[in-house]
Structure formats: structure tokens, C-alpha cells
Amino acid sequence: MTERYLMIEHTGRRTGLTRRTIVESVQKTPDGGVMVASALGTKSAWFRNVRDSGKARIHHGRRRYDASVRIVPPGERAAPLTAFSAAHPKAARLYARRFRGPGEPATTTIADYPDKVLLVEFRPQTS
């Protein structure tokens, strides 16, 4: 069974204090890392913190690791979002509400908005 949720431990940009945020994983990566979507885009405090620092500590299931941060470019977002939408259709439709325009069907998922959904990849750092 894979762990769907994880905790990002990051440092506040202005305060320097340790912050913790629970997020849902979109996909595990081959190197043992994880991708997550920023539901509020660049407005998420955790997103701005990890983007600016380039690092975080990840608590995923029983695993704990220091991670480097990579903002996934738009051209690489479609496959993980499509896989997440297939595995978790209800959650994918819920997340898509943020991006739907007037008149768009409620059946759209986050996979329909790869250019709008910000994905962040956390890669385990090697010593």
C-alpha cells in the first residue's frame, strides 16, 4: 500500500521558523521521491518557501528524508496528472474546481489543466 499523504517540513521565508504542511502525493518518482500539486499555485506559503530555499524535509509513511526541490515544467505535468486522475477520480475532479471556467463540465479533472497545475518534485538528497 502506498502512502497517499505526506508532510513537508520547510523553513519560513520571512521568519526562518520550521513549518509543516500536509499534502497529497500525485505520484512517486523512480528515485524514491514524490510529486505533489500546489492546490493554490504560487499563493501557497509552502510552495513559496520550498521554491525559494530549494530544499525540504519529507515525511512520507515511515520514510524521512532531506529533499531537493524541482518545479516540474509544464511539458512534464500531463502524465503524472493523468495517472493521478485515473487512480483518484473523485479527488481529481475536486481539485479541478479551482481551474474550471464558467460552463465547463464538472467532470473535468486536474489532468485537463496541465498548464495551470503547479507540480513540485521532491528528490531525496544523496549524501
Side-chain angles (χ1 to χ4, degrees):
M1 180 169 135
T2 60
E3 298 290 335
R4 193 162 156 190
Y5 296 91
L6 60 123
M7 183 173 67
I8 304 169
E9 192 173 302
H10 49 97
T11 303
R13 301 177 312 290
R14 290 187 225 136
T15 64
L17 298 174
T18 299
R19 305 291 186 196
R20 292 172 185 87
T21 305
I22 305 295
V23 295
E24 184 171 15
S25 67
V26 170
Q27 182 179 57
K28 283 187 163 185
T29 61
D31 62 0
V34 66
M35 280 189 198
V36 301
S38 176
L40 297 176
T42 59
K43 294 180 182 180
S44 287
W46 73 261
F47 174 82
R48 289 180 284 166
N49 289 341
V50 300
R51 177 196 60 198
D52 292 356
S53 73
K55 61 183 180 176
R57 178 133 179 100
I58 302 300
H59 302 255
H60 194 199
R62 292 181 181 209
R63 289 191 65 214
R64 311 281 184 269
Y65 58 90
D66 291 322
S68 61
V69 175
R70 181 177 87 96
I71 309 304
V72 178
E76 296 177 27
R77 296 177 190 161
L81 293 174
T82 298
F84 178 83
S85 295
H88 308 288
K90 195 173 190 177
R93 285 191 306 273
L94 178 69
Y95 294 142
R97 291 190 315 186
R98 179 182 183 333
F99 307 107
R100 277 189 207 117
E104 287 188 77
T107 56
T108 60
T109 71
I110 59 171
D112 297 312
Y113 305 98
D115 293 337
K116 295 181 180 181
V117 177
L118 284 178
L119 282 184
V120 179
E121 181 179 354
F122 294 99
R123 293 178 171 172
Q125 290 181 336
T126 55
S127 301

